[in-house]
Amino acid sequence: MPPESSGRAVIVGASLAGARTAQALRRGGWTGPITMIGAEPHPPYDRPPLSKGILLGRADRAGIALLSAEQCAGLGIELRLGRPAVGLDPVARHVALGDGTRVGYDALVVATGSAPRVLPETVADGPRTGVHVLRTLDDALALRESLSAGARVVVVGGGFIGAEIASSCRALDLDVSIVEADRVLMGRGLGTRLGAAAAVRHSAHGVRVLLGRRVARLHGQDRLTAVELDDGTELPADVAVVGIGSRPATGWLEGAGLTLDDGVVCDETLAAAGVEDVYAVGDVARWRARRYGTTLRTEHWTGAGEQAAAVAATLCGTRTEYDPVPYVWSDQFGAKLQIFGRVRPADEVVVLDGDPESDRFIAVAGGEGRLQGVVALNAVKAAIRLRRSLSEGASWPSVIDDLRS
Ligand SMILES: Cc1cc2nc3c(=O)[nH]c(=O)nc-3n(C[C@H](O)[C@H](O)[C@H](O)COP(=O)(O)OP(=O)(O)OC[C@H]3O[C@@H](n4cnc5c(N)ncnc54)[C@H](O)[C@@H]3O)c2cc1C
């Protein structure tokens, strides 16, 4: 039984998933108090523009706001910003904040997202001007400031965010290299064949793509001067951006009785295992995905909003399972890359139209007898059509037969 909708809802994490949960709770008829607690000093803002419009100077702070302090006040949502949650007592039902206060709840929603991984100390020994990560608005503004004309940039990590940063740097006409330990670019999202094509595309746009290499050491006393790779290559650099993935922000939940395993482990309704009336949404949630018969955790903008809607519906009295076709997009070199579903290393990939090394293509991936993923670059309409087959769980042979007939 979910708690009464006149109870007190507390949301920890004041960003996309948290803000969307608060809004959906009010829309769904939650009449009780809602408190949203955020570690950052800013009201909720959108992260995708941080690696795109903000770096390019085409978007600003106001343009990426998700929910202003005034809108929160209008919805009766209490915002407590600049104060991280540091602990949870699910028996006494309160959250402890860094300033020593406690906030009681009837329903708790964990929306603390993820935090960037950093280089080991053997590689980056101490702080140096010029070394950045990109997760927050403050990170993005600091990085933007350092991207002055003529700056030489090394992006460490060739995932989506690294690839977007490289693309933005090229748009600013900067010298940029990507160093990726894997043999393929964006391999986790695109698989081997399409990831290899993406590396060709990045090279064609002027990015130096160094695959199968790791960063061995950062050079420079107080300011970065070069990035040394594990084969001895030294890349002169003024700026390094470390984009080597992120970890779910669950440190504050250690020992609280929740099941933590690369995220807050939840059931199909995003209810946290091991405790009552606690839910997780967004990058921090690992939920039981019926569609795949396994647990999943994604770091996708669309999923965060959908999860917020599902949890709010459950809390407002309509038990709602979350079983989506995962979706992520990425903007690089003026083209929109979209991935519906998933592409795993062993999946068969068939290119239906266009050329993956160019600025337009559409491809499907299949495995275990089913259509598993659709990948499109600048082919939005065709991708939406195939998405239906994906959500219906279409068999791989039937998809291939249809396409050949
Ligand atoms: C640079 C960048 C570009 C992206 N581009 C895309 C894209 O093109 N397409 C796409 O699909 N996705 C993209 N994403 C991913 C997308 O932005 C995330 O999936 C989304 O932000 C997840 O929302 P969230 O609310 O779960 O987590 P977050 O947005 O990470 O928010 C979590 C919030 O919780 C706060 N917090 C953490 N710990 C505590 C604590 N103990 N107490 C209180 N507050 C805490 C954090 O400070 C943060 O404000 C991008 C992400 C980044 C960083």
Side-chain angles (χ1 to χ4, degrees), residues 291 302 306 323-327 338-341 362 364 371-375 380-394:
R291 176 180 302 278
T302 307
E306 291 169 348
D323 191 25
V325 171
Y327 168 68
Q338 297 174 291
I339 304 173
F340 296 89
I362 180 146
V364 285
L371 174 64
Q372 296 283 347
V374 176
V375 183
V380 177
K381 279 192 190 148
I384 301 284
R385 274 199 299 276
L386 281 160
R387 186 193 175 285
R388 198 166 308 136
S389 309
L390 201 54
S391 67
E392 287 164 358

Side-chain angles (χ1 to χ4, degrees), residues 261 265-266 286-290 292-297 342:
D261 180 11
V265 176
C266 301
R286 171 169 290 283
W287 81 99
R288 175 146 293 283
R290 247 187 229 289
Y292 297 119
T294 183
T295 64
L296 276 190
R297 186 178 75 79
R342 55 187 185 171

